[in-house]
Amino acid sequence: MTRPRPRSRPRSASPDLYAAAAAALLVTAAVLVGRYVYTYADLIVGWPPLLGRWDPHLGPGTPAAVLVAAGVVAYGPAVAARLPWRALLPAAWGTALAWTWSLALIDGWERGIAGRLTTSQEYLSVVDRWHDVPATLRDFNGHILLHSPDNWPAHVAGHPPGATLTYVLLDRIGLGGGGWAGALTITVGATACVAVLVTVRALAGERLARRAAPFLALAPAAVWMGTSADGYFAAVAAWAVALLALAVTRRSPGWAAGSGLLFGLTCYLSYGLTLFAVIAAAVLVLGRRGVRARPVLLAALLAGAAVVPVAFTAAGFDWWEAYRLLVTRYYEGAAGVRPYAYWVWANLACTVLITGLATVAGLRRAGGVLLRRRAEGVRADEVGADEGRAGEIRLAFLVAAGLLALLAADLSGMSKAETERIWLPFALWLLAACAFLTRPRGWLTAQAVLALLLNHLVATGW
């Protein structure tokens, strides 16, 4: 007599799916509360929690965006696993470029690219006021406050002059106008994914870097990387971290000096990116064996970091005074109206939209890796160990530093709304957590669908 088979237990949903569902609920809550509890006059955004408006549309970039997404979902993980490393980096950059350009062109050339940086609040609107660069730098702080004469537009006043000066110099070499500015911003911004891959490989191993590559190339953040100057800022900050990772693992003072130079420039592109010191500190912790072996690395890093601040200070720009004035202007404008009680959590909903549900699941796994760290007795600073649990711990530690920097920005109250673009530099480091995911095609599909829906249903703007 045959025994009846035991009834199999129903399989519970994956914890990854629970995490993704919780993130989706957070976004839903931010949308509903923003629309039905607050008014436009409260939040000053058209489609909370995003700065934009409901505008279903197609565009010339639609077919290309769908093809790029389909190609990465179908072949991305396999290609990333097999392609020689030196070929993978340009392939990732090219894919990120194609993805960003195609998404931007869904809105057309003028609205999606050429006109983005030429609006009344953007950098190109003041290029003609920079005939004498040294004099403008000396007088920059005198135009930050709203009641000051000829006050700077919002984005110019809200950033150190390095941001505006980038586009002024582009204009001076004969590449003026929104088209060239947009092309530069997208092209440089797309290199940020390469910088993150270089960092992950140096600190956590090539296997994890390869697993993260498709997610970095197909990030939903590309909706705002093309075209927002914050995408350019993200690339500069990412390369500062990447060069530091190379410096501590290869014990190279040259890389350390280059990293310091870019960190200094980062602080003169955006005040908030001083929080990248948290990520830099994580890299130094992970690479402290290299630093101990060659203490000159720290000297080279600090020397490089001093170059840009010294140059701007010598030209007459006072960074600290400018930041103090910016805080005053910030609360004179929209920030004085936007409720902290909403944005302190709705900003995190924006982060879900720019990083995707896959990143939420990846962060859950990264947290699990850190929680298991002590039980397994693996040190996070063992740079150079074989790829395995030690590499996973190092990557989780790096991602946690990026998350910590983002949370600090959130709690500061200096990022109320528009974080879908402002936090692009931090978001890229969260995306690296996708290296922990299994079944990457499913998660990549979710990432692509999210980006395509956002770009086709909402007219984003700033």
Side-chain angles (χ1 to χ4, degrees), residues 110-359:
E110 184 60 33
R111 193 175 83 169
I113 297 174
R116 287 286 193 182
L117 297 173
T118 62
T119 63
S120 61
Q121 299 301 321
E122 282 284 1
Y123 304 97
L124 268 65
S125 66
V126 300
V127 166
D128 292 339
R129 293 174 58 178
W130 287 70
H131 295 296
D132 185 338
V133 171
T136 306
L137 287 174
R138 288 193 298 271
D139 195 38
F140 188 89
N141 291 356
H143 303 285
I144 292 178
L145 296 177
L146 277 175
H147 62 264
S148 60
D150 297 323
N151 64 80
W152 296 119
H155 286 196
V156 178
H159 294 83
T164 307
L165 192 57
T166 298
Y167 297 104
V168 171
L169 296 177
L170 189 67
D171 179 78
R172 294 294 186 270
I173 63 174
L175 302 179
W180 284 112
L184 171 77
T185 301
I186 292 176
T187 302
V188 175
T191 68
C193 78
V194 179
V196 177
L197 291 178
V198 169
T199 305
V200 173
R201 181 178 185 255
L203 296 175
E206 189 171 311
R207 180 182 64 88
L208 290 171
R210 289 178 178 276
R211 292 179 61 87
F215 292 95
L216 286 160
L218 199 70
V223 173
W224 291 272
M225 296 285 280
T227 310
S228 163
D230 294 86
Y232 156 57
F233 305 159
V236 175
W239 280 110
V241 176
L243 295 188
L244 183 57
L246 293 176
V248 297
T249 53
R250 299 183 181 182
R251 303 179 183 181
S252 167
W255 289 124
S259 172
L261 183 66
L262 291 183
F263 272 120
L265 176 58
T266 297
C267 294
Y268 279 75
L269 294 174
S270 174
Y271 297 104
L273 295 187
T274 53
L275 286 171
F276 258 72
V278 176
I279 302 176
V283 174
L284 291 174
V285 169
L286 293 173
R288 58 188 178 188
R289 288 188 176 182
V291 176
R292 286 172 177 171
R294 296 204 71 182
V296 70
L297 294 177
L298 285 179
L301 176 68
L302 295 174
V307 172
V308 173
V310 167
F312 273 93
T313 302
F317 172 69
D318 187 334
W319 191 97
W320 293 102
E321 175 68 9
Y323 180 71
R324 184 187 67 79
L325 293 170
L326 166 64
V327 173
T328 300
R329 167 147 180 180
Y330 186 63
Y331 285 99
E332 286 178 340
V337 177
R338 288 170 170 161
Y340 181 87
Y342 173 77
W343 288 111
V344 73
W345 61 271
N347 283 338
L348 301 180
C350 287
T351 305
V352 173
L353 293 175
I354 62 177
T355 60
L357 297 179
T359 301

Side-chain angles (χ1 to χ4, degrees), residues 35 47 52-59 62 106-107 111 452-460:
R35 288 182 64 84
W47 200 80
R53 68 181 188 279
W54 180 256
D55 180 27
H57 62 284
L58 299 174
T62 297
I106 290 171
D107 294 330
R111 193 175 83 169
L452 291 170
L453 286 176
L454 284 170
N455 219 143
H456 283 93
L457 296 179
V458 180
T460 59

Side-chain angles (χ1 to χ4, degrees), residues 361-438:
L363 289 173
R364 186 204 71 79
R365 289 186 174 233
V369 168
L370 291 177
L371 289 175
R372 292 191 299 268
R373 170 188 167 189
R374 286 190 177 181
E376 298 189 3
V378 182
R379 292 174 57 87
D381 64 337
E382 291 175 352
V383 176
D386 59 334
E387 295 179 29
R389 182 61 68 188
E392 291 181 357
I393 292 173
R394 293 194 296 272
L395 177 57
F397 187 78
L398 180 66
V399 169
L403 181 60
L404 179 61
L406 183 147
L407 292 176
D410 188 32
L411 295 174
S412 73
M414 289 296 291
S415 297
K416 291 193 287 187
E418 304 180 51
T419 52
E420 61 269 22
R421 65 167 181 83
I422 297 172
W423 287 357
L424 287 174
F426 304 114
L428 294 172
W429 297 95
L430 304 188
L431 283 159
C434 294
F436 294 117
L437 296 175
T438 57

